[in-house]
Amino acid sequence: MGTTKGQRLSGMQKQVLSLYRGFLRAARSKSDEERRKIESIVSQEFRRNSKQVDRKNFLYIEYLLRRGNKQLDQLRNPGITGLSSLQVDFSKINNTGTSSQP
C-alpha cells in the first residue's frame, strides 16, 4: 500500500489512516471473534465514508475524525469487548431534527 514518489498525503489523510490503523491495533487486544467483527465494522465504515463524504467537506471529515478518536479511546479500554455501528439515513430527517415520517 505504498505511495508513488510524487504522491503526498495531506495532513487530514494521514490522520484518517492513523485512525484506521489505530482501530486495527486496538482490535488485536480483543478475542478472535470480536477482532473479526471490529475489523469488519471498521472496514465497512471507512469504505462507506470514503464513497459518501465529499473530500472537500473538511468540517464533516474533522467531525468524523473526532468521533472516531472517541470511539477508539473507548475501544482501547480493556473492559470494552466490542464495537457496534450506527447508520442514520439523514434524508429521512427534516431540518428540525425530527423524523419526517409519522
Side-chain angles (χ1 to χ4, degrees), residues 82-93:
L83 185 68
S84 65
S85 174
L86 173 65
Q87 294 184 351
V88 178
D89 184 359
F90 288 106
S91 66
K92 295 190 179 176
I93 298 176

Side-chain angles (χ1 to χ4, degrees), residues 5-18:
K5 200 172 190 179
Q7 192 178 35
R8 290 222 165 133
L9 298 176
S10 72
M12 197 171 287
Q13 287 172 320
K14 289 177 183 178
Q15 289 176 9
V16 171
L17 289 173
S18 175

Side-chain angles (χ1 to χ4, degrees), residues 58-91:
F58 301 118
L59 290 176
Y60 188 62
I61 295 169
E62 288 173 350
Y63 160 75
L64 289 173
L65 283 168
R66 285 191 304 274
R67 191 179 87 181
N69 280 311
K70 287 178 185 177
Q71 290 175 324
L72 180 55
D73 287 342
Q74 290 176 341
L75 186 61
R76 286 178 175 151
N77 182 337
I80 302 296
T81 58
L83 185 68
S84 65
S85 174
L86 173 65
Q87 294 184 351
V88 178
D89 184 359
F90 288 106
S91 66

Side-chain angles (χ1 to χ4, degrees), residues 4-5 16 19 27 38 40 44 49 55 57 63 93 95 99:
T4 61
K5 200 172 190 179
V16 171
L19 180 62
I38 292 167
S40 175
Q44 288 173 7
N49 284 326
R55 292 173 188 230
N57 190 348
Y63 160 75
I93 298 176
N95 291 338
S99 176

Side-chain angles (χ1 to χ4, degrees), residues 21-70:
R21 286 191 304 264
F23 272 110
L24 297 182
R25 283 190 197 103
R28 287 188 211 146
S29 66
K30 309 302 179 188
S31 70
D32 285 345
E33 182 181 344
E34 282 303 316
R35 179 184 53 80
R36 283 191 293 277
K37 285 181 187 177
I38 292 167
E39 288 172 349
S40 175
I41 290 170
V42 168
S43 176
Q44 288 173 7
E45 287 290 315
F46 275 77
R47 195 163 277 139
R48 182 175 57 84
N49 284 326
S50 75
K51 289 182 169 99
Q52 291 181 353
V53 176
D54 180 17
R55 292 173 188 230
K56 294 181 182 177
N57 190 348
F58 301 118
L59 290 176
Y60 188 62
I61 295 169
E62 288 173 350
Y63 160 75
L64 289 173
L65 283 168
R66 285 191 304 274
R67 191 179 87 181
N69 280 311
K70 287 178 185 177

